Amino acid sequence: MMLAEIPAVLVLNPRDNVGVVPANADAGRALVNGVVAAERIPRGHKVAIVPIAEGAPVLKYGQIIGYATKAVRPGEHVHLQNLAIVDVALQHEFCVDNAQPVMVPEAERRTFDGYDRGNGRIGTRNYIGVLSTVNCSATVSRYVAEHYARKFREAGHDNIDGVVALTYGGGCAINMKSEGGRILTRTFKGYARNPNFGGILMIGLGCETFQYGPLIEEAGLEEGRTFRKMMIQEQGGTKKTIEAACAMIDDMLPDVGRIRRTPQPLSGIKLALECGGSDGYSGISANPALGVASDLLVKEGATTVLAETPEIYGAEHLLTRRAARPEVAQKLLSRIEWWRDYTAKNDAELNNNPSHGNKAGGLTTILEKSLGAVAKGGSMPLNAVYEYAEEVTEPGFVFMDTPGYDPAAVTGQIAGGCNLVAFTTGRGSVSGYKPAPCIKIATNTPMYEHIRDDMDINCGTIVDGTETIEQAGRRIFDFVIETASGRKTASEAYDYGDNEFVPWQVGAIT
């Protein structure tokens, strides 16, 4: 049953001078308050609802998303041809919207069935990871994982989700004392300690710059039945390494398979909040619904991790207002300044966004995209800001500094300890992120129906008028708990997630 008739145009804030059309609007269609479409407006795109003078700010969500490059009449399409970004002087107020949430009483809190790894580390999956510490050991690592994929298909395993090879294209020609070297070390350390792994085997070549010895020492890891390491050069080449690796994993299987799911508090959940292939509906439907789910999780004691610093640019003032402490807000701004300097040094711009697909979906400027992206973080206080792949220790809503490139961003969040990923998309996404299950959330019904085999949740219901943001958020919240307890996501059904391990490479490769 419809909750309400779908309006011809969605006006998101009383201050706005543009609205969003939920369906294609042909020229001549009546929109709102006597405004008639002056031309065809694609669904998800913006239309002027009042006259906008040349040089005047364009407002959406009650915020500036850019400035009109020429006068715009009511009913005209507002997009690349008449809207552009210039520097906006944002007012960064600290700690004014950071009232502590009313937490769910302990006796009433939900639980999920997870893997208790000890020391408060709770897994939502039970993988064995083969971590290739250099590109030269990638092929061997993949061969080992493929061996177990065949073995599990033939005989199965009742309590191990799989053996996954996480490989990448680096490991040499990098200064390990540089920022890039520190990031790489944190990333591998974080994956080795992620609670979704029941066992780890690290494979190197032997002569590479990135030696796993210092990494293991820094991470406090000790070789034992479920943590092993080897070098190809020491083993005597490819064939001998593969044989030795398979023997080591065979030894792990009984121990890794022995652990069982048990009821765990939601404080054991660390959820990565991510978006990719965003469109004009993202900030209207899926992102704010995920924000509701984030708030519900935080009130239950869980942790939610927003990321992608270039995609909060222009909306960071909303987060500084929610900072739990002034130093948290200041750290967020310092990361923005780092990005300004980093992009300038590399002949780029921090506002090198939106992408081609974002623009086709109705997003025009990075300010507009960022305002919608921040909605994933709900309304809870911002408790901490972390650098890339840094271990997330603070419960509640937090932020991690990452690139906007989805695989690199999620890699950092998983390295930080995230054991689940919630991924909103308007254009469609087909990636997975082992060892963390990835929940795909569609922003609009046409895309959901078109690519539904890859989608888990449809938030196009909000735009269609069949569900409120709060109802959709509650549905996401329940789905997160079910997924944490073992329900397979669409990407898991396809066994996706082996290729999305993409550590952020910063600095010179020599």
Side-chain angles (χ1 to χ4, degrees), residues 145-473:
E146 289 166 4
H147 166 79
Y148 285 96
R150 292 191 297 269
K151 185 174 181 176
F152 282 19
R153 281 196 298 268
E154 293 168 2
H157 200 291
D158 66 346
N159 198 41
I160 297 178
D161 290 291
V163 177
V164 55
L166 297 177
T167 64
Y168 80 121
C172 255
I174 181 173
N175 178 2
M176 294 307 301
K177 295 182 179 180
S178 68
E179 186 164 23
R182 292 191 295 272
I183 285 173
L184 186 62
T185 298
R186 285 202 303 268
T187 302
F188 271 82
K189 181 175 70 173
Y191 267 75
R193 293 176 51 80
N194 189 283
N196 284 4
F197 283 126
I200 290 287
L201 170 61
M202 285 189 179
I203 302 180
L205 176 62
C207 58
E208 61 270 16
T209 303
F210 182 36
Q211 293 286 309
Y212 57 51
L215 160 69
I216 291 170
E217 182 178 353
E218 182 177 326
L221 298 169
E222 294 184 3
E223 191 165 14
R225 291 187 61 82
T226 57
F227 179 77
R228 304 296 298 273
K229 56 184 174 59
M230 62 170 53
M231 292 289 193
I232 294 172
Q233 291 168 348
E234 292 177 358
Q235 293 295 325
T238 297
K239 185 174 184 295
K240 292 178 181 177
T241 302
I242 292 169
E243 290 173 350
C246 290
M248 288 180 178
I249 292 178
D250 284 343
D251 286 343
M252 285 186 196
L253 292 176
D255 292 295
V256 176
R258 190 173 295 121
I259 187 170
R260 297 288 165 172
R261 292 183 181 272
T262 55
Q264 301 294 331
L266 294 195
S267 58
I269 289 178
K270 291 183 180 179
L271 178 67
L273 307 173
E274 187 65 20
C275 59
S278 300
D279 68 353
Y281 300 110
S282 294
I284 298 171
S285 61
N287 287 356
L290 180 54
V292 170
S294 174
D295 287 352
L296 292 170
L297 286 163
V298 167
K299 291 177 181 179
E300 294 266 359
T303 302
T304 61
V305 185
L306 186 65
E308 299 185 292
T309 311
E311 295 186 12
I312 66 157
Y313 173 63
E316 73 274 8
H317 63 298
L318 302 180
L319 294 176
T320 61
R321 292 177 60 90
R322 291 162 53 189
R325 302 174 301 281
E327 58 268 27
V328 173
Q330 191 57 58
K331 186 171 182 180
L332 181 66
L333 295 183
S334 72
R335 298 316 299 165
I336 294 281
E337 288 305 311
W338 183 94
W339 274 93
R340 288 183 188 273
D341 180 66
Y342 177 65
T343 53
K345 287 179 178 177
N346 289 277
D347 297 323
E349 295 180 355
L350 187 51
N351 64 353
N352 184 28
N353 232 317
S355 69
H356 169 78
N358 297 152
K359 293 172 183 176
L363 296 176
T364 311
T365 70
I366 185 57
L367 299 180
E368 179 183 11
K369 184 177 180 180
S370 293
L371 289 164
V374 165
K376 300 192 300 293
S379 62
M380 294 293 103
L382 177 64
N383 284 344
V385 172
Y386 292 94
E387 294 192 25
Y388 185 86
E390 190 178 357
E391 183 182 4
V392 174
T393 56
E394 187 83 21
F397 171 61
V398 303
F399 182 82
M400 178 176 284
D401 177 29
T402 76
Y405 181 48
D406 302 331
V410 178
T411 295
Q413 290 167 304
I414 294 173
C418 287
N419 51 16
L420 287 164
V421 179
F423 192 112
T424 67
T425 181
R427 305 294 290 174
S429 174
V430 298
S431 54
Y433 293 95
K434 291 179 182 178
C438 180
I439 301 167
K440 294 288 174 35
I441 306 169
T443 71
N444 65 90
T445 298
M447 185 277 289
Y448 173 79
E449 295 293 347
H450 183 61
I451 196 171
R452 66 181 307 164
D453 290 344
D454 293 280
M455 295 292 112
D456 295 293
I457 295 174
N458 179 27
C459 283
T461 51
I462 297 167
V463 181
D464 300 341
T466 60
E467 197 173 30
T468 65
I469 290 173
E470 289 72 21
Q471 288 171 328

Side-chain angles (χ1 to χ4, degrees), residues 28-40:
R29 181 180 180 183
L31 297 176
V32 63
N33 297 333
V35 175
V36 174
E39 55 193 316
R40 185 178 185 277

